[in-house]
Amino acid sequence: VASTYEALSLKRMMNFYLPSSRLEALGGAADGGAERVRREESVQAKKSSSTGDIHEEEAEGLRRRLSLPGLLSQVSPRLLRKMGRSGMRAFALTPMGGGVPEDQEVFPTLQTEVWSWGHGEHGELGHGDNLDRWDRPNGQTFEEPKCYFSLSFHRFLAASVVYSWKLWGIMISVVAGGRRCVALSDRNVMGFISSLHELASAERKFYCKLCDIKSQVLRPLLDSALGPAATELLQTLAGRFSLLSHLTGQHGASLTANLRRGRDVGSLLMLEHASIFLDVYNDYCSTVGNFFVMGGFHALTKPSLDIFGKSPELLQRLSECSEENTVTSDLLVALFYLPTQHLHEYGRLLLKLATCFEVSSGDYQKLQDSCSKFEALTLQLKRKRKEAEYTFHFWKSFPGKMTDSLRKPSRRLIYESSNKSLTVQNAGRFSVNWFILFNDSLVHAQVGPSHMLSPRHIFGCSAFSLSDVHGLKVVTPEETLTLLASSSAEKTKWLRAINQAVDQALSGAGQDAGGPASKSDPPISRTASYTFYKDGRLKDATYEGRWLAGKPHGRGILKWPDGRIYTGSFKSGLEDGFGEFACPNKALNQGDLYQGYWKEGKMHGLGTYRCQTNHVMLRVAFFTMYASGEKYMGMWQDHQRQGTGVVVTQFGLYYEGAFKDNKMMGTGILLSEDDTTYEGEFSDDWTLSGKGVLTMPNGDYLEGSFSGEWGSGLKVTGSYFKPNLFDTEKDRNRAVKLGRMSVRAEEKWQAVFEECWSELGCEAPGEGEHLKAWENIAVALTSRRQQIQDSPEILSRSHSKTLEGLEVIPQHEGPITIERYHSIRLYLLKACDTPLHPLGRLLETLVAVYRMTYVGVGANRRLLPQAVNEIKSYLCRIFQIVRFLFPDLPEEGGLIPEPAENLPDGNQETSADTRTESPKPGRVVSSSALLLPVLLPRLYPPLFTLYALEKEKEDDMYWECVLRLNKQPDLALLAFLGVQQKFWPVSIPNSLIVASSTKDACFASAVETLQQISTTFTPSDKLQVIQLTFEEITQEVQSLLKQDFLWSMDDLFPVFLYVVLRARIRNLGSEVSLIEDLMDPCVQHGEHGIMFTTLKACYYQIQHEKIT
């Protein structure tokens, strides 16, 4: 009776199971918090705590009564008082290895306390003596003898002087007062209620058994002198045992309360939260197995003899072992594996409960499913025990340095060939080949150094038979092993064991070694990490990525110990496709980087190479470094520069032309920083050889034969021309057109786009089904999101929300309206914002290679046309992908009509000729408008740097004039620029009258608006700023004239010129050139085009403006 009350945590359980009104009836009105704390402090020495440490000595053991055996974790009595106070929450049991989530607070707590007072002449107070105690928790005493029990910190009283009961049925409640007591029994001893009683009784008995084991066996053994490893394993075992015991006690309390309150299947916690039971038992069994495998029970033999004597009847009784003369280590093994037998009892009782319901009912199905789970775990734990026993006997049978080095707690033996059941083909007569298959490795022990291979790295195990030969072929990353079995049966056993070990390793938990065989062979394609150990270029390198048939195949990362890293595509074990290779130079604290295409392990195709070393280096590893301060952008073949390409140096030299055998060989163009140009034949790097033309910065040129290295003196045989003496325009204009001998923009980074098309399920650009492409996008997003769930720092909260929106496939079929066009734009913004989306991954790669090309040494003004053309090529090719995903999207220049309701009435009555002359308003579709807002902000820094370098001279002239003209006051500058006086704002609203010395007051709002052009990225945004500037000017003039006004260009240009001067935009020429190069063609001849032309005219006017 007492244990029933003691098992309840009344603060938690009474709130959980009883209504508040009944609590008040049982416990009375609650006292104030401060008064309760004072009373608790006053009687701290008189109460007994139900929890404590397993090592804690009972200093007042005779006066205290432990309501429940102590736990392994230490909990102070003051913490227990806090746990019982109003407003505090009890911690719930959760599986080991995690925190304590609040949503799992489903079990009652066992942190309880018991008070007893009254007559103790018969020992009925439970303190172990016959003394009377009359002090109640609140300090009051009783005159007549009574015995009360008070649980937790509530004055819920139950008294009992009952020592034996002779009742018909099952007792479920007891109440007592004075020397009278009443017991309530349940006469229903059959059916569902009886089965519930049996389950609760079995749980309480099992809990008592665990408490006995913990107090009488486990606690003394923890004080044994063992080695550090064994002690750590024993402590882990004790922790798991305590967790299992605690769970059992909580469950027993829950079942008892369920019998007194609910009595329904839905309130059985072991059904709703079966995973907690299964996890706890599985972890406990694994911990016992680890201790067993490492010889822990064998090491406890001597301490057990010291503690329990040579005839350990206690161990034999607790382990329920009936055999005589059983060794102590076997008794300990049986004792600690005893809890796993209780799972079968769970299954039996759940099945008994299920028979009380109709087969078609939901309760029957729920009980049956839970029974199946517990029975399945029972079988699995039996196999785990056999596995641990097999492994322990293996370590015991083969002691030695080699086996000791392999011995680990979690390692289990599956199969081994000490009986020569498996050997290597063509092995020597005196060779030793011993194969040991564990759950986590395949060991080949031989005379030389042994090699250990993870089952994750076995990419196939197949059998073959030739006459009397029973063979196996095992495919690994660095070799294919051909093994011979002694018989057909042994071959079958090894084949089954290896495939099963691989399946177990790949599935994480997998099947146990003794479980059923896999129905199919392990996959030959998978993701894995492997460190190469054999001699060769990959020795000690670690590869992490996709594999196919034992070779790196797909995307992956290859790292060498010296810091070299390759990231990109692989094919049949070699670098193939687009990739990035970085090689550090620790001495110089710098590194070299190559981004481009590879073929069969060598640089091949278009690529960009950046060398940071300060001297010429020879061939290192498997690539070639080039002279310091140079960058090559061109074609590669067989690891060499071959074909057309471009080289720029940090000194401003620019070369484009032919390469052969890694040298500048053939026709090329060479330009120096001062615009000296040579166009002709080359025979080596920077070496002129053959016919050519050398043009000076002033236009003079030499035509003839050249020889010698550039910068070291040239030998020339030819004619000198000074075209300025002649009037022929053809001879005067000898400017060299760059880009003719470089790689065309459309041919760059084709593999990057091909990879994107491949992810969409297309073998070639545009060849595929767009429905299948959307399915591939959804799969890619889901799989990549799952892969990074273990690294939450990668994804921000906003990034995670973006992914949630992308996982929903948008409407991609049907006519394109203005609304759908905007939804497509929003989708592209989200898709390109995350590298998990194929489009985002494509954009990320393009941005990386673009920056690599045009940053640093690549920031050469000669590269500006190529940089602009490359962006236009990106837009065209990405737009092709977008139109593939949205097939109804109009092509470049197509028109999306406005909604019909926005058109004026009577359109249907107009003639065909009228409709032809006045087309319907709509939006023109263009790749610039759709994709530049996504692409250009990421490419803006390197691109604008090139514009600034190209326009440096013009901008300097413009800026010098801006600084001079801005020294003048407003009215003087307006007069100088020819602005009509009626447009002069002689007074500013809410300000003073403009005086002759006032500066920066006129058209201030328009000036401030125009200055924002430097804060925008795309041409459309910059054009919008120009339009707003014109609107600000117009509004200010209209307020001056107090009437509507229509501008003429003769009136507008001087006013706008004033605003441009006062805006003081430093790199206005670069801004104008960027807008002109990337402006959407559909706006060039409209209002925006006229406004942009006006700004451009102002820029050129300021450059040539002179103050008279």
Side-chain angles (χ1 to χ4, degrees), residues 218-289:
L218 188 55
R219 187 188 307 179
L221 289 178
L222 280 173
D223 297 327
S224 304
L226 301 176
T231 301
E232 183 179 356
L233 289 174
L234 182 59
Q235 290 175 350
T236 304
L237 173 60
R240 298 291 182 181
F241 187 93
S242 177
L243 183 61
L244 176 62
S245 175
H246 196 76
L247 173 66
T248 306
Q250 289 178 306
H251 189 221
S254 173
L255 289 173
T256 302
N258 183 43
L259 280 168
R260 303 182 61 227
R261 302 289 181 261
R263 299 191 177 190
D264 62 328
V265 174
S267 59
L268 293 179
L269 298 181
M270 67 180 305
L271 301 184
E272 295 296 329
H273 304 277
S275 60
I276 295 181
F277 288 83
L278 299 177
D279 290 342
V280 169
Y281 273 93
N282 192 31
D283 292 344
Y284 171 75
C285 184
S286 298
T287 307
V288 176

Side-chain angles (χ1 to χ4, degrees), residues 685-701:
D685 289 347
W686 313 111
T687 303
L688 286 59
S689 178
K691 294 182 179 182
V693 178
L694 181 65
T695 305
M696 309 301 176
N698 61 356
D700 299 352
Y701 64 94

Side-chain angles (χ1 to χ4, degrees), residues 906-1050:
N907 276 351
Q908 297 181 358
E909 300 177 0
T910 57
S911 62
D913 295 339
T914 305
R915 289 196 300 268
T916 303
E917 295 174 0
S918 301
K920 296 180 180 179
R923 178 181 292 273
V924 179
V925 176
S926 68
S927 57
S928 300
L930 197 61
L931 298 173
L932 266 184
V934 178
L935 181 64
L936 195 55
R938 310 183 189 197
L939 306 181
Y940 192 83
L943 179 64
F944 195 80
T945 300
L946 294 178
Y947 274 109
L949 293 173
E950 177 66 19
K951 296 293 180 180
E952 185 176 7
K953 293 181 180 179
E954 292 87 343
D955 278 344
D956 287 344
M957 294 174 56
Y958 149 81
W959 188 244
E960 182 182 357
C961 189
V962 167
L963 294 179
R964 285 190 288 110
L965 291 176
N966 271 290
K967 294 179 181 179
Q968 302 185 37
D970 288 350
L971 298 182
L973 184 59
L974 288 171
F976 174 77
L977 297 177
V979 179
Q980 297 186 32
Q981 289 192 3
K982 65 178 180 178
F983 301 135
W984 293 11
V986 293
S987 63
I988 307 299
N990 302 325
S991 182
L992 300 176
I993 297 177
V994 177
S996 59
S997 60
T998 304
K999 290 182 63 176
D1000 297 322
C1002 298
F1003 300 103
S1005 60
V1007 170
E1008 185 177 345
T1009 302
L1010 186 59
Q1011 289 173 343
Q1012 297 177 9
I1013 196 172
S1014 300
T1015 64
T1016 56
F1017 298 109
T1018 64
S1020 60
D1021 292 338
K1022 295 179 184 294
L1023 291 173
Q1024 187 68 24
V1025 170
I1026 298 173
Q1027 181 181 358
L1028 292 175
T1029 304
F1030 277 102
E1031 292 176 357
E1032 291 287 347
I1033 295 174
T1034 302
Q1035 290 178 6
E1036 190 161 350
V1037 169
Q1038 287 179 350
S1039 64
L1040 288 173
L1041 302 178
K1042 302 186 184 308
Q1043 63 180 1
D1044 293 337
F1045 177 76
L1046 190 62
W1047 283 105
S1048 67
M1049 187 53 66
D1050 292 338

Side-chain angles (χ1 to χ4, degrees), residues 445-459:
Q446 47 191 348
V447 176
S450 302
H451 177 59
M452 183 181 300
L453 184 69
S454 171
R456 291 179 174 271
H457 303 140
I458 297 177
F459 291 88

Side-chain angles (χ1 to χ4, degrees), residues 559-681:
K559 298 181 181 179
W560 282 264
D562 59 3
R564 288 174 291 143
I565 301 176
Y566 171 83
T567 305
S569 299
F570 290 81
K571 184 178 180 180
S572 301
L574 298 174
E575 300 88 334
D576 199 292
F578 183 81
E580 177 183 298
F581 181 83
C583 180
N585 190 321
K586 296 182 180 179
L588 301 174
N589 197 23
Q590 293 177 334
D592 304 304
L593 185 65
Y594 169 78
Q595 278 188 326
Y597 297 100
W598 299 69
K599 185 176 181 180
E600 297 179 356
K602 296 181 179 180
M603 302 175 190
H604 182 90
L606 185 65
T608 300
Y609 188 93
R610 183 180 65 186
C611 182
Q612 298 288 353
T613 55
N614 294 327
H615 58 283
V616 178
M617 297 189 66
L618 300 177
R619 184 177 179 84
V620 178
F622 64 98
F623 70 101
T624 306
M625 294 183 177
Y626 303 101
S628 63
E630 295 182 8
K631 178 178 287 187
Y632 171 79
M633 296 155 283
M635 304 302 296
W636 291 83
Q637 184 176 351
D638 295 334
H639 207 59
Q640 293 183 336
R641 298 179 293 179
Q642 191 82 10
T644 58
V646 174
V647 173
V648 292
T649 72
Q650 62 184 1
F651 305 108
L653 291 179
Y654 173 93
Y655 171 85
E656 72 171 48
F659 288 82
K660 185 178 180 181
D661 298 333
N662 208 34
K663 300 177 181 179
M664 299 176 184
M665 188 176 296
T667 303
I669 300 174
L670 176 62
L671 286 87
S672 65
E673 181 66 20
D674 63 352
D675 292 333
T676 301
T677 306
Y678 171 79
E679 182 176 3
E681 299 294 325

